[in-house]
Amino acid sequence: MSTGGYDPNKDPQNPGGDPYPSQGGDYPPPGGYPPPPAGGNYPPPGNYPPPPGNYPPPGGSYPPPGGYPPPPGGNYPPPPGGYGPGGSGGGFGPTQLSVGDAISFGWRKFSANPGVWIVMVVIAFLIQALINGIFNGFDFTVQENDGFTSAFSAAGLIGSVVSAIVGYLIEAAFVRGALSEVDGRKPAFGTFVQIAPAGAVILTGLLVGLGTSVGLVLCIVPGLVFAFLAWWAMPFVIDRNQDAITAIKSSYHAIRSNAGTLFLLALALVGLNILGALLCGLGLLVSIPVTIIASTYAYRITTGGPVVA
């Protein structure tokens, strides 16, 4: 019987209805929220207002999501590939060029792999001698021919052109082998024949030879200067796949960047080859590989290319 007071077992929205079902232990519904209003308009899940009260934020200085600052530093090295403006450029060699280091590097690499280099020098000599013999009848003396020497005959001119072109290809083959040495790989015979692009190689050799010849006619000194500044045109063609004009320009800028040291190195390398020629020519079997490797080492150091000791 009702007493007129509040009956916790009665539904306040339906006083005459059934009491609430027993919850066991007379505990209120979990969460302490009032029952949902009649009519079925339930709020979507998860959108309940926070309980009253001024609760402090959780302890700790946590940054907002997604707003993390970049890691300290910021001076990250560039990805590998490409040569820098100078120094070792990510390689393993020294960053400064010296004449002694270049020559000792050339000797060390040659002495570790002399067989293939000596054989390649011998092959180069034999090829040039064969070309000269084919176009001159294996007669190396100057013959008079209607007032002109045989050197100015049609066969002699053709032979000179063919000999020059073959010489450029041989030079490129030696540069390819020297680049392999500087990269830390002992060249095999197959390394020397990978001289593509042959067209750029031949054109570069012709332009450098022509410029040197014209300079020699102009009081000799301009020809020597041009030959010195175009010294590394062939390595730029082989190593960086540049065309002839670009390679000559690149050589000019690279040589000029360290002209003093490179001039001393050029004198030293020429002196080594002269000494090799004085030893009955047999010394060239050693001096030519050593000087080519030393020159390629200097090219890589000066242009910031990699060098593996």
Side-chain angles (χ1 to χ4, degrees):
M1 185 173 77
S2 172
T3 61
Y6 173 73
D7 187 351
N9 292 321
K10 294 291 184 178
D11 184 352
Q13 302 295 331
N14 187 14
D18 296 331
Y20 289 117
S22 176
Q23 300 293 325
D26 294 329
Y27 296 107
Y33 301 106
N41 295 323
Y42 300 104
N47 290 330
Y48 300 105
N54 295 322
Y55 297 99
S61 300
Y62 299 100
Y68 300 105
N75 296 321
Y76 302 105
Y83 301 153
S88 61
F92 307 95
T95 58
Q96 296 296 326
L97 174 66
S98 74
V99 175
D101 288 344
I103 295 177
S104 62
F105 182 90
W107 167 253
R108 184 168 64 253
K109 291 295 185 178
F110 165 76
S111 60
N113 190 29
V116 66
W117 280 102
I118 292 176
V119 171
M120 289 303 302
V121 173
V122 171
I123 291 175
F125 283 146
L126 292 177
I127 291 175
Q128 292 286 29
L130 181 63
I131 293 173
N132 189 51
I134 290 173
F135 288 96
N136 292 288
F138 296 96
D139 185 359
F140 302 101
T141 61
V142 176
Q143 300 290 335
E144 294 293 334
N145 184 14
D146 297 330
F148 296 93
T149 64
S150 60
F152 293 96
S153 65
L157 289 175
I158 295 174
S160 297
V161 173
V162 172
S163 179
I165 292 175
V166 172
Y168 302 145
L169 295 175
I170 291 174
E171 178 188 357
F174 284 154
V175 170
R176 175 72 70 185
L179 286 169
S180 181
E181 294 280 14
V182 174
D183 287 335
R185 302 187 304 269
K186 291 184 178 181
F189 291 106
T191 305
F192 290 89
V193 300
Q194 300 173 8
I195 55 175
V201 166
I202 295 172
L203 182 58
T204 300
L206 289 173
L207 291 178
V208 172
L210 180 62
T212 303
S213 299
V214 172
L216 290 175
V217 173
L218 301 174
C219 299
I220 299 177
V221 174
L224 297 177
V225 172
F226 180 83
F228 173 64
L229 294 175
W231 181 11
W232 288 338
M234 198 66 75
F236 274 105
V237 171
I238 301 298
D239 190 33
R240 306 205 184 177
N241 199 30
Q242 294 184 353
D243 61 84
I245 300 298
T246 303
I248 293 174
K249 291 180 180 179
S250 298
S251 176
Y252 167 77
H253 290 295
I255 297 293
R256 194 181 65 170
S257 70
N258 195 13
T261 301
L262 292 173
F263 179 71
L264 295 177
L265 176 62
L267 291 178
L269 299 183
V270 170
L272 285 176
N273 282 322
I274 292 174
L275 180 62
L278 293 176
L279 298 175
C280 301
L282 296 177
L284 293 174
L285 298 176
V286 176
S287 66
I288 289 177
V290 170
T291 55
I292 291 176
I293 297 172
S295 170
T296 307
Y297 166 90
Y299 151 77
R300 277 285 182 84
I301 292 295
T302 301
T303 60
V307 174
V308 180

